[in-house]
């Protein structure tokens, strides 16, 4: 987790805007996504088995808020800080405090002020993206099991470090903490390409900034899969491999029809329906029942559309769309059931790996509940293909995604 290995020494002197969950790639990217998912699962398995030939790198997903983009604007060579609008057609680049007040509002203004003042000290070349973990005013003192801690909560997870720990003492001195995870290069902002293989060693050190990359630290020799875990994982991977062979053409057709902007596309609604299991009390376990529920989901959605229309012609249009959708679901029911089986297999394999990866952490992670702080695992991880450069999220969605809807959060207004 946090290496921040320099804090003692200091005392002396394609855009990454959205990553897909690994199991969702079979819906959004077809057979290619399924094969990529297999590659990621095998790569993480190899890494946790002690292989130095693993095809993937792992980075820790930090629950930071907001996402900060910073660096040099190629157009005028000036330093800027920005949020996710940085790659818009008309980006909001903040090069002065006046820019921040023009482009933003609420609590985000003060955080960007600190970033604009502090981050140029690092001597960043190009553009970096990171998760802002805290600024000075975010630190609180909390008693956890009789020990006084500094805590900060950028979003859902509360991070805690003992006050008497050297790391805690350093945190109390700095003005901000940030985790960098993506680097961008290019002659123009709009043309920049993302790389997850970043190097922070060339950044200048500062006594007022706590920074690190997101790479998963100290895996070798600390945790390895047991024989039983390896056997269980290999069976899941074999099942997925077998399913890919049977479903390739169906998955390709589904991905062709998938359109995030078309709220009436069946594959798009299928993904929305599957996501609903991570927001409620139901669990995604039985593939056949999942499709039964999908039929009900589609019927309810389209019935609401019909009821919202005022003319008979409009109502008839959406009734016809409803029936057409039901026919498509029914005609592909067997394949949809098999797809859910594959989805569950990938998710179960991922959860086994995430559980193992989560055993290594060097900072306390908690959820704020009505009964106080509850220990939790880190948000999750990102697997990066060393060769292709693509990446997917590895998150225990039953744990973290539900926490997103139930835990007390700390939102940044504006």
């Amino acid at each position: 987790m946090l290496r921040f290995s320099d804090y003692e020494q200091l005392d002396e002197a394609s855009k990454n805007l959205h990553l897909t969950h690994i199991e969702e790639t079979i819906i959004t990217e077809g057979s290619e996504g399924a094969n990529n998912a297999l590659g990621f699962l095998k790569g993480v398995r190899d890494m946790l088995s002690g292989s130095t030939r693993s095809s993937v790198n792992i980075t820790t997903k930090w629950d930071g808020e907001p996402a900060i983009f910073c660096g040099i604007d190629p157009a005028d060579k000036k330093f800027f800080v920005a949020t996710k609008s940085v790659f818009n057609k008309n980006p909001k680049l903040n090069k002065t405090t006046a820019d921040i007040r023009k482009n933003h509002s609420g609590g985000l203004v003060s955080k960007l002020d600190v970033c604009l003042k502090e981050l140029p000290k690092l001597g960043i070349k190009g553009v970096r993206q990171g998760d802002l973990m805290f600024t000075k005013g975010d630190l609180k003192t909390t008693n956890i099991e009789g020990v006084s801690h500094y805590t900060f909560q950028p979003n859902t997870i509360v991070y805690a470090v003992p006050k008497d720990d050297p790391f805690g003492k350093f945190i109390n001195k700095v003005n901000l903490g940030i985790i960098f995870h993506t680097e961008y290069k290019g002659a123009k902002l709009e043309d920049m390409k993302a790389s997850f293989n970043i190097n922070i060693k060339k950044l200048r050190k500062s006594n007022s900034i706590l920074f690190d990359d997101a790479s998963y630290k100290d895996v070798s020799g600390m945790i390895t899969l047991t024989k039983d875990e390896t056997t269980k994982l290999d069976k899941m991977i074999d099942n997925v491999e077998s399913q890919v062979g049977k479903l390739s053409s169906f998955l390709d057709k589904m991905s062709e029809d998938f359109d995030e902007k078309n709220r009436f596309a069946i594959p798009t609604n299928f993904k929305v329906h599957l996501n609903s299991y991570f927001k409620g009390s139901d669990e995604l376990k039985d593939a056949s029942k999942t499709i039964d529920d999908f039929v009900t989901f589609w019927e309810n959605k389209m019935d609401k559309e019909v009821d919202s229309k005022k003319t008979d012609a409009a109502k008839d249009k959406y009734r016809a769309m409803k029936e057409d959708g039901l026919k498509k679901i029914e005609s592909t029911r067997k394949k949809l059931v098999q797809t859910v089986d594959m989805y569950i297999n990938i998710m179960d394999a991922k959860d086994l790996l995430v559980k193992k990866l989560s055993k290594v952490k060097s900072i306390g992670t908690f959820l704020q509940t009505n009964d106080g702080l509850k220990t939790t695992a880190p948000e999750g991880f990102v697997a990066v293909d060393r060769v292709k450069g693509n990446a997917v999220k590895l998150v225990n969605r039953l744990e973290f995604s539900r926490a997103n809807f139930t835990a007390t959060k700390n939102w940044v207004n504006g």
Side-chain angles (χ1 to χ4, degrees), residues 41-106:
L41 292 175
K42 291 177 180 178
V44 181
R45 175 200 61 191
D46 293 344
M47 186 187 78
L48 295 182
S49 297
S51 172
T52 58
R53 295 179 296 174
S54 173
S55 61
V56 301
N57 287 331
I58 295 294
T59 62
T60 302
K61 247 179 91 54
W62 290 80
D63 190 32
E65 179 73 21
I68 295 293
F69 294 77
C70 58
I72 305 300
D73 181 358
D76 60 11
K77 310 302 180 185
K78 291 183 179 180
F79 187 89
F80 72 89
V81 295
T83 57
K84 287 188 177 181
S85 65
V86 65
F87 297 116
N88 288 358
K89 186 174 182 180
N90 297 305
K92 295 179 180 179
L93 304 183
N94 304 297
K95 300 173 183 178
T96 66
T97 55
D99 290 339
I100 293 173
R101 279 148 184 77
K102 179 182 72 173
N103 294 329
H104 306 279
S105 61

Side-chain angles (χ1 to χ4, degrees), residues 320-357:
M321 288 176 63
K322 171 186 173 181
E323 293 305 315
D324 182 59
L326 289 173
K327 288 177 182 177
K328 287 180 180 177
I329 296 171
E330 190 55 40
S331 66
T332 58
R333 182 184 177 88
K334 183 178 178 180
K335 295 292 186 183
L336 286 171
V337 169
Q338 292 173 338
T339 300
V340 174
D341 271 331
M342 183 195 298
Y343 187 100
I344 293 172
N345 265 314
I346 293 173
M347 192 170 64
D348 287 346
K350 172 203 68 177
D351 289 347
L352 188 156
L353 293 169
V354 168
K355 184 177 180 180
K356 200 72 176 179
L357 289 166

Side-chain angles (χ1 to χ4, degrees), residues 259-303:
D259 182 359
E260 205 76 71
K261 296 180 181 179
N262 181 0
R263 64 191 186 95
F264 297 111
I266 294 298
T268 308
N269 281 275
F270 188 45
K271 178 187 171 187
V272 172
H273 171 62
L274 292 175
N275 283 339
S276 70
Y277 286 94
F278 307 109
K279 301 176 184 178
S281 57
D282 292 337
E283 291 197 13
L284 183 59
K285 287 186 175 180
D286 185 276
S288 182
K289 183 180 182 302
T290 299
I291 303 307
D292 290 340
D293 292 344
F294 182 42
V295 170
T296 303
F297 171 91
W298 177 255
E299 288 177 330
N300 290 339
K301 176 186 177 77
M302 298 311 296
D303 284 344

